[in-house]
Amino acid sequence: YYSDSVTLVIGYATLILLTLKVLMVSLLLGQRQQHLRWLSPQSQLMRQVFTVLRYSWILCKVTGLLLVELVAFPTGCGWWLDMCSLDVVGATGAQRLDFGRKHIAVSLFVHWVLGVAFMIHVAVLVAVLREVVRPEVLWFLRNPEEAIEHPLRDLIDEPVPKHARRIILCLILYLPLTVVLVYLPATAALLLAPNGMFPLYLSLDSMTDVPAHVLLLHVSLPHIMEHCRPRTSFKLLLETWIEVVGTWLGLRDKLLPARQDADADVTSTPPASPTALPNTGYAGYVADDEGSPGPHSPSNAFDAGGVQHLWGGPEPPKPKSRFARGVFMMALAWMSIALIGATTIIMSLLVGKGLLRACVSVRVKHDVYAFGIGFCVCSTCLEMAVRLHQRLLTQRASIVMRQLAARLQHLAVCATATFIMGGVVALLLGLALDLVLIVPLRVPLHQSPEMLGVEQWMGG
């Protein structure tokens, strides 16, 4: 006896072979034999058969591409992401495979969620990079913010080899990108973290491991991150890093767009004469025949020897060829990602665990909560510092202080309203729900219910 899967495969293979046999007979003998004229490709019957086969092929093609792009590829990304972070959680590949064999559905779903989340974060990273660098730098990547008008039509019209090339390109990009964004920061965090922080605890023995206070984070954290997005600070840090490293390696003009301030000054004011800059240190400024700044102008201060007279020391050694400089910049980027990622992981865990111990007064075993709280607090503080610094650069301190006082007053009003609606009203609603529905069903008549308050507040 065969299993159902083997029976289905044999049945579909038989149908496909019969269909191919009919098509071969139609193409070879339909026009030669008179009694088989109804099998010729020009007959009405075979036209309908070819139409059905064409639509069946389109359906199978679209279904297969959707399964590969929406199911198989994210699941594979989730598995590769899990393999790159095994040391952080203290697991092994054999344990993951054993769990996958025992719990196939759960394992596939968890890795699919991890893969989709990682792909979304990569899309956000590519969108931020497109806002910082020149458009031609990322010419080989599709802009994730550009909406596709007819995605199903592209799946139908474009040939299968084109989709295959696109999937292979994504696979080639995501494999090293996961190593750079996940494995290197995780390895650096393991080397730099204090004793006892790793491995992380990511399992729940029971629901009592997560108290009711922490369950509120599932509602509050997304709301906070929606209003305190670290996009501005991340974009500023990324642009600063590319500015500094690209200027040192002589690749700044190839990566970043032209300075808007310098362009505005050139268009609004005529070029200054050499005698117009007596005390700026650029008295040798000379414009060429086309009116562009000379080699000693402020805009070219970092070109050819500019590092020496700006930094007050000899220029550090750097590769000469452009390809070597690009490879060296990529290596510096990998090192920076590893160090910044490790610092982010360690600081988020330290801040999150400290806040949980101070506020909740119990030990939350699941470290995802500690990391989420710490990352939210650190990113919010960084975002506020960056915004305050930008305000101080464009406005006077007194105006900024008045705006800050107004924001604090508005925050106090919102906190009061939140306490009334989310505290008092929620507690009253939870008590009413408990007394009307839960207590009559769970508490016998000869006993009195015990009201702790926290559960009722969470229910409300």
Side-chain angles (χ1 to χ4, degrees):
Y1 297 98
Y2 299 102
S3 62
D4 295 339
S5 58
V6 175
T7 305
L8 286 174
V9 170
I10 294 175
Y12 280 116
T14 304
L15 291 177
I16 292 173
L17 290 177
L18 289 177
T19 305
L20 292 177
K21 184 177 180 180
V22 170
L23 292 178
M24 294 297 295
V25 171
S26 171
L27 293 176
L28 295 176
L29 303 178
Q31 296 179 352
R32 298 179 182 180
Q33 304 293 333
Q34 293 293 331
H35 63 280
L36 296 177
R37 186 64 59 87
W38 58 277
L39 289 177
S40 64
Q42 289 78 18
S43 63
Q44 187 69 21
L45 175 62
M46 294 308 300
R47 287 181 181 178
Q48 295 180 358
V49 170
F50 284 131
T51 302
V52 171
L53 291 177
R54 184 171 65 252
Y55 283 117
S56 301
W57 161 247
I58 292 175
L59 179 61
C60 295
K61 171 188 172 183
V62 173
T63 304
L65 290 175
L66 288 177
L67 288 176
V68 171
E69 295 183 3
L70 299 181
V71 178
F73 191 82
T75 306
C77 288
W79 272 103
W80 183 238
L81 182 66
D82 192 10
M83 293 295 109
C84 291
S85 59
L86 287 176
D87 295 335
V88 178
V89 297
T92 60
Q95 293 177 355
R96 288 289 186 264
L97 294 177
D98 184 61
F99 178 81
R101 285 192 296 266
K102 293 180 179 179
H103 311 280
I104 299 177
V106 176
S107 177
L108 290 178
F109 176 74
V110 171
H111 288 95
W112 180 81
V113 171
L114 288 175
V116 170
F118 181 72
M119 293 172 65
I120 291 174
H121 283 80
V122 170
V124 173
L125 177 62
V126 171
V128 174
L129 277 174
R130 285 187 175 274
E131 295 178 3
V132 174
V133 300
R134 288 177 175 269
E136 59 269 16
V137 174
L138 300 177
W139 59 271
F140 55 92
L141 294 179
R142 186 175 61 185
N143 191 358
E145 294 185 350
E146 292 180 357
I148 303 177
E149 296 183 359
H150 304 286
L152 291 179
R153 183 181 299 176
D154 294 340
L155 292 177
I156 295 173
D157 297 338
E158 293 179 354
V160 176
K162 185 175 181 180
H163 291 286
R165 288 195 302 268
R166 185 180 300 169
I167 294 172
I168 293 174
L169 178 61
C170 293
L171 186 64
I172 295 174
L173 289 175
Y174 272 91
L175 286 177
L177 198 61
T178 309
V179 174
V180 173
L181 296 178
V182 178
Y183 180 74
L184 292 181
T187 306
L190 289 173
L191 296 176
L192 300 176
N195 296 329
M197 178 175 289
F198 294 101
L200 300 180
Y201 192 86
L202 301 181
S203 61
L204 291 175
D205 297 333
S206 63
M207 286 304 296
T208 57
D209 291 343
V210 181
H213 308 70
V214 184
L215 291 178
L216 188 62
L217 295 174
H218 291 283
V219 180
S220 60
L221 278 183
H223 181 71
I224 294 174
M225 295 302 295
E226 181 70 22
H227 293 279
C228 300
R229 296 177 180 176
R231 185 186 182 94
T232 304
S233 57
F234 175 74
K235 180 180 176 181
L236 181 61
L237 291 176
L238 182 62
E239 187 174 2
T240 304
W241 188 91
I242 298 177
E243 178 82 24
V244 174
V245 179
T247 301
W248 174 54
L249 294 176
L251 300 175
R252 193 265 174 206
D253 295 334
K254 301 294 182 182
L255 297 176
L256 296 178
R259 296 182 179 88
Q260 298 180 358
D261 297 336
D263 297 341
D265 293 339
V266 171
T267 55
S268 61
T269 59
S273 61
T275 59
L277 299 172
N279 298 322
T280 57
Y282 293 100
Y285 170 81
V286 178
D288 54 14
D289 297 335
E290 297 178 359
S292 60
H296 300 287
S297 63
S299 60
N300 294 327
F302 288 99
D303 297 339
V307 176
Q308 180 175 357
H309 69 262
L310 278 182
W311 289 357
E315 182 180 358
K318 57 184 179 182
K320 294 182 179 180
S321 65
R322 184 176 298 174
F323 177 77
R325 283 181 289 173
V327 173
F328 185 64
M329 188 174 184
M330 291 296 295
L332 290 178
W334 294 344
M335 295 173 59
S336 302
I337 290 173
L339 293 177
I340 295 175
T343 305
T344 302
I345 294 172
I346 295 173
M347 290 299 298
S348 300
L349 288 173
L350 290 176
V351 173
K353 289 183 178 180
L355 290 176
L356 283 176
R357 284 194 298 265
C359 299
V360 184
S361 300
V362 295
R363 183 179 182 271
V364 180
K365 295 182 180 180
H366 209 299
D367 288 327
V368 170
Y369 291 100
F371 178 79
I373 295 172
F375 180 78
C376 178
V377 172
C378 294
S379 60
T380 303
C381 294
L382 181 62
E383 182 73 15
M384 292 174 62
V386 169
R387 292 183 182 181
L388 182 60
H389 178 68
Q390 291 179 349
R391 290 291 182 89
L392 290 175
L393 290 178
T394 57
Q395 299 177 0
R396 291 183 296 177
S398 59
I399 299 177
V400 175
M401 293 305 295
R402 286 198 297 268
Q403 293 178 354
L404 184 60
R407 292 293 180 90
L408 290 177
Q409 183 180 2
H410 180 68
L411 183 61
V413 173
C414 292
T416 305
T418 302
F419 173 75
I420 295 174
M421 295 299 298
V424 179
V425 176
L427 179 60
L428 295 177
L429 287 176
L431 285 173
L433 179 66
D434 202 358
L435 293 174
V436 173
L437 294 179
I438 299 178
V439 172
L441 295 176
R442 297 186 59 185
V443 181
L445 295 178
H446 62 277
Q447 294 181 358
S448 60
E450 182 181 0
M451 299 295 181
L452 299 177
V454 178
E455 287 77 7
Q456 287 74 22
W457 172 66
M458 289 299 301

